[in-house]
Amino acid sequence: SPHRAALLAGRDLGGMRVLVAELHSQAAAAALAARVARPDLRLAWVQADTAALPLPFSRLVARLRSEGVLTASVSVGQGFGGD
């Protein structure tokens, strides 16, 4: 990848908070709780290649987007379909 060097050079996320969840439903519950606690928070859904569901088929992500809980979505590989 032409971005390999940049990825290898990265050491932190600059204080960005990250939640890792194994299931859609776990991440959704955390996103809703975060939105209630901090309405000004901008949340992005990141779906890795191990996902079994392409993002366009996720009714949950679509609903979180339509209700303003998520600002953006990012996906790779077989979990394709993010912004």
Side-chain angles (χ1 to χ4, degrees):
S1 166
H3 306 291
R4 181 172 166 49
L7 290 172
L8 292 174
R11 295 291 176 238
D12 65 51
L13 295 173
M16 183 183 307
R17 293 176 177 95
V18 176
L19 166 80
V20 177
E22 292 187 30
L23 301 173
H24 258 58
S25 57
Q26 293 170 331
L32 289 167
R35 177 61 73 196
V36 169
R38 296 256 324 263
D40 61 321
L41 196 62
R42 294 179 64 210
L43 300 172
W45 186 282
V46 179
Q47 186 157 304
D49 190 45
T50 58
L53 180 71
L55 274 179
F57 296 144
S58 172
R59 292 185 306 239
L60 182 57
V61 171
R63 182 157 184 194
L64 292 172
R65 290 292 306 265
S66 71
E67 294 190 14
V69 175
L70 296 177
T71 302
S73 63
V74 179
S75 60
V76 297
Q78 65 193 24
F80 68 89
D83 298 327

